[in-house]
Amino acid sequence: MVTRRRVVQAAVGGAAALLPVGAAASRLWASTGRSVLDPRKVDKYVAPLVVPPAMPPDHGAAGAAVDHYTIGVRQFWQQVLPPGLPATTVWGYGSTRHPGTFHSPAFTIEARSGTPVRVRWKNQLRDERGKYLPHLLPVDPTLHWANPPGGVRGRDSRPSFRSTPGPYTGPVPIVTHLHGGRSTEESDGHTEAWYLPDAVDLPAGFARTGSFYEEFKGMSEARFGEVWNRGDAVFQYANGERASTFWFHDHALGVTRLNVYAGLAGFYLLRGGGADLPEGVLPGPAPRPGDPPGRRYYEIPVVVQDRSFHVDGSLHYPAGRAAYDGFEGPYVPGSDMSPIWGPEFFGGAMVTNGRTWPFLRVEPRRYRFRFLNGCNARYLILKIVARPLAHRPAQAALPFWQIGSEGGFLPSPVQLEQLLIAPAERADVIVDFASLPAGTELYLINEGPDKAFRGGKAGTDFSPADPATTGQVMKFAVGALTAPDTTVPPSRLSLPSFAPLGAAGRVRRLALTEQASASLPHVASRQMLLGTVDRHGAAVPMHWDDPVTENPALGATEIWEMHNFTADAHPIHVHEVQFQIVDRRRNGHPARPPEPWEHGFKDTAVVYPGGVTRLKATFDRPGRYVWHCHMLEHEDNEMMRPFTVG
């Protein structure tokens, strides 16, 4: 059988050999086809939840001026499915000095307010012979993407083809973004600052790095005095923000959806400073470097993702546009449609902290959970219930007390029956199991839809997720109390205060749009675009490489009005800032204030269809940054725009 690796090994003529075309491409992908695993046949609640340990630093004791890490990206096997089913090949981050730390999601970076963290991020997607590893998933080379085969002149572009190409099988570009961090531009993980692994067989003519890599390399080396080597980059995070739940993930142009789906994500928890609470007030401890085996944790980060698998345990991601909406071409030539990319992806199984449908043994006491929606496109509506197959919408058995969002603590705790979390959003919550007797079993379920979210209520405005599969997330099994709980009940918590942002000096009107095929009118969703709104109220769609239109002055406070002309709700993420939601507006309706759980600082906001969501931010770091939709399929196909500060 012809494998993707053999196609790569057969390359003797450069980039062209890495892109089989036309009928050959179809035969190649069909020849590697595998049966998709039925998620209903996967047993639930047989493996414990993985609590991500703390990432070990390179060196330096507590109180050091800078915390240093060397973190690689590697390919490895992981038991994502329950024991007895095959292991899954994934990608993940880990400390290169501690090989046992590679995991997906990554071990957690624990950061201290005011103490910088410096990370050497290494692309180690190579085999044991030093040869590059191709992607685990089908890469669409017709998008505007990193495009290493284009060389220095053609990188970071949309290449042209005379016939429909197959998936790209060359070396994989990566660059890591600290999501939520207010980073300087050279450490932000700019989407065009990617780099390939330092492999021995990189094809001649390929670009090794993205368009901004060399410029940011020079800035970083001058500022921090550490040399960037082939296949890596050194980023420093000042950690001057409020104590918050951040996360890190890949951000390479046009392949973010695939690199994150393959496993490149992890938590970054910033603690201390005036915007944190003293130890002992909230449930803890959380994992720390050097913890002894078997330590009990009462603060747990939880990332929820949706994935699909083949029967051999490998990750499944659609290999062509037809899998999304049945459109089978024409592609190239004959239309402007991409052959592999699809508008959104929804997996058939729920994966929590790297395992399908795990369980967590809890004590009858309070726990702090830091939830992250790590799905590519799926909105989550989380609820704790007594029966996993209860009719939806189900009655909540326990409430959540949300105490924080992406930018730190809220003004006061908010009691909620459910959590609406868009892709990339975080919810810092307390759940109190104290009233439950040992032996009680509760279930974290999901009532978000199995398709693009448009707002509304489950069971009324949309069908909830399949109760047998994507409608379940994990189980809580209550055991005996091992020690008294001395933390403060959430109803009595006094959270650190913060000052609202000042008056805005400018209002920008920005547009979210969807573009159908220009040559095939019956085919929709060719790409999603951002842009501006003209004086008549009409959208002016723009592509990634159109001239910059958002250029706040250094130190300026602005309101960005997000006008959503599409049918779906989009989670919009703005790099470099923590913003506040001002209000949401629809024609003929009074302005609606942010939801109670949105009253703090945020870096990602839900922009509902048919209306305007207004955000306020202060832009106090000069440089080049981006704003984009965090539905990763959208981001990878033009729903991202650059902005400059200063």
Side-chain angles (χ1 to χ4, degrees):
M1 183 177 74
V2 178
T3 66
R4 296 172 69 191
R5 168 51 83 179
R6 286 176 187 164
V7 170
V8 172
Q9 290 173 336
V12 294
L18 303 180
L19 294 170
V21 296
S26 300
R27 288 195 299 271
L28 169 66
W29 203 249
S31 72
T32 59
R34 292 155 289 177
S35 298
V36 177
L37 179 65
D38 183 351
R40 289 175 173 79
K41 296 181 179 179
V42 178
D43 291 336
K44 297 181 179 65
Y45 315 127
V46 296
L49 178 78
V50 174
V51 179
M55 185 76 75
D58 290 348
H59 53 76
V66 177
D67 292 336
H68 292 261
Y69 294 82
T70 302
I71 298 177
V73 168
R74 294 179 184 173
Q75 178 172 299
F76 49 90
W77 296 93
Q78 182 169 307
Q79 194 65 49
V80 181
L81 295 165
L85 291 176
T88 301
T89 303
V90 298
W91 292 350
Y93 295 100
S95 169
T96 61
R97 305 187 183 196
H98 304 82
T101 62
F102 282 83
H103 191 268
S104 178
F107 286 20
T108 300
I109 296 178
E110 285 281 346
R112 300 167 290 164
S113 176
T115 300
V117 163
R118 186 179 301 168
V119 182
R120 184 177 295 275
W121 299 102
K122 299 177 72 70
N123 185 343
Q124 296 183 315
L125 292 174
R126 303 169 302 197
D127 65 17
E128 65 280 359
R129 297 168 298 175
K131 295 185 176 183
Y132 69 81
L133 293 167
H135 215 294
L136 299 175
L137 308 169
V139 177
D140 193 330
T142 70
L143 302 181
H144 188 144
W145 74 296
N147 192 32
V152 172
R153 289 190 176 183
R155 62 187 172 183
D156 300 318
S157 68
R158 183 185 294 271
S160 298
F161 296 92
R162 295 181 179 178
S163 58
T164 301
Y168 166 81
T169 57
V172 178
I174 69 164
V175 64
T176 301
H177 167 57
L178 177 58
H179 187 122
R182 300 175 64 212
S183 305
T184 50
E185 61 175 330
E186 79 285 346
S187 296
D188 187 52
H190 191 282
T191 190
E192 290 187 359
W194 53 265
Y195 45 98
L196 300 181
D198 186 22
V200 298
D201 60 340
L202 291 185
F206 270 44
R208 288 178 171 266
T209 60
S211 301
F212 286 117
Y213 178 91
E214 290 295 335
E215 179 180 345
F216 291 157
K217 175 179 185 288
M219 294 170 62
S220 176
E221 290 177 349
R223 179 171 293 177
F224 305 120
E226 287 209 28
V227 174
W228 294 19
N229 302 313
R230 281 189 174 184
D232 72 28
V234 180
F235 295 166
Q236 180 155 315
Y237 312 111
N239 295 324
E241 303 89 347
R242 304 175 74 229
S244 304
T245 305
F246 301 153
W247 65 300
F248 54 93
H249 61 81
D250 183 75
H251 209 272
L253 184 66
V255 289
T256 297
R257 71 197 184 285
L258 304 176
N259 292 356
V260 172
Y261 190 87
L264 299 186
F267 282 96
Y268 183 110
L269 304 182
L270 178 59
R271 303 181 188 274
D276 204 354
L277 291 172
E279 189 171 341
V281 174
L282 298 177
R288 294 289 195 274
D291 278 350
R295 185 171 190 182
R296 295 177 180 270
Y297 299 114
Y298 305 110
E299 179 195 320
I300 302 175
V302 179
V303 55
V304 181
Q305 300 168 304
D306 56 343
R307 297 290 185 263
S308 291
F309 302 88
H310 297 113
V311 294
D312 64 2
S314 60
L315 289 169
H316 167 74
Y317 190 91
R321 174 62 188 246
Y324 294 91
D325 56 12
F327 176 67
E328 296 181 343
Y331 299 113
V332 182
S335 83
D336 52 3
M337 300 295 293
S338 292
I340 298 176
W341 175 86
E344 294 100 16
F345 174 79
F346 298 92
M350 301 305 285
V351 176
T352 305
N353 283 6
R355 286 185 175 167
T356 53
W357 296 295
F359 68 86
L360 176 66
R361 300 190 189 281
V362 297
E363 299 178 24
R365 54 159 297 151
R366 287 178 283 276
Y367 281 73
R368 180 184 186 182
F369 297 109
R370 299 181 188 244
F371 285 109
L372 160 66
N373 182 342
C375 301
N376 278 30
R378 180 186 297 274
Y379 280 68
L380 300 172
I381 300 177
L382 301 180
K383 189 181 291 185
I384 299 174
V385 302
R387 294 182 296 116
L389 295 175
H391 178 75
R392 308 307 204 246
Q395 181 178 358
L398 279 182
F400 301 98
W401 286 86
Q402 185 166 348
I403 58 174
S405 57
E406 298 92 78
F409 288 113
L410 300 175
S412 59
V414 180
Q415 184 176 1
L416 299 167
E417 298 295 299
Q418 64 185 31
L419 298 175
L420 169 63
I421 313 179
E425 284 191 310
R426 283 86 76 203
D428 190 353
V429 306
I430 294 174
V431 177
D432 193 346
F433 298 98
S435 63
L436 303 177
T440 301
E441 294 182 340
L442 296 178
Y443 299 85
L444 183 67
I445 67 168
N446 166 44
E447 293 185 343
D450 282 327
K451 59 181 182 180
F453 179 66
R454 298 182 173 184
K457 296 182 178 180
T460 301
D461 302 295
F462 57 84
S463 297
D466 183 352
T469 56
T470 51
Q472 297 185 51
V473 178
M474 62 178 288
K475 181 173 82 171
F476 300 106
V478 182
L481 186 68
T482 61
D485 183 358
T486 59
T487 62
V488 177
S491 61
R492 292 164 42 197
L493 276 174
S494 178
L495 300 178
S497 62
F498 59 86
L501 295 174
R506 177 167 180 170
V507 176
R508 296 182 188 270
R509 304 172 74 202
L510 307 173
L512 285 61
T513 65
E514 181 174 350
Q515 191 171 67
S517 171
S519 57
L520 301 170
H522 62 287
V523 180
S525 298
R526 180 170 76 90
Q527 56 190 195
M528 310 292 175
L529 298 173
L530 302 173
T532 60
V533 178
D534 68 18
R535 60 190 181 91
H536 303 293
V540 182
M542 294 183 175
H543 292 83
W544 164 247
D545 59 352
D546 283 329
V548 171
T549 50
E550 288 71 61
N551 51 356
L554 183 61
T557 299
E558 298 189 351
I559 289 177
W560 286 18
E561 292 187 348
M562 306 286 183
H563 296 245
N564 189 350
F565 293 89
T566 79
D568 301 330
H570 296 268
I572 297 298
H573 171 45
V574 185
H575 286 218
E576 192 266 331
V577 300
Q578 289 284 345
F579 56 73
Q580 293 177 327
I581 298 177
V582 179
D583 57 35
R584 292 186 174 93
R585 302 181 177 190
R586 294 176 67 95
N587 288 337
H589 298 273
R592 182 163 55 92
E595 301 290 352
W597 60 89
E598 296 179 318
H599 279 277
F601 281 95
K602 293 178 63 62
D603 59 48
T604 306
V606 179
V607 179
Y608 289 96
V612 180
T613 299
R614 303 204 309 152
L615 316 176
K616 182 191 289 186
T618 298
F619 299 86
D620 57 0
R621 283 168 175 74
R624 279 174 290 243
Y625 298 94
V626 301
W627 64 286
H628 58 86
C629 177
H630 222 284
M631 296 169 77
L632 299 184
E633 283 75 22
H634 295 182
E635 171 187 341
D636 273 350
N637 194 5
E638 299 288 354
M639 204 169 193
M640 178 164 57
R641 289 280 294 147
F643 72 91
T644 60
V645 179

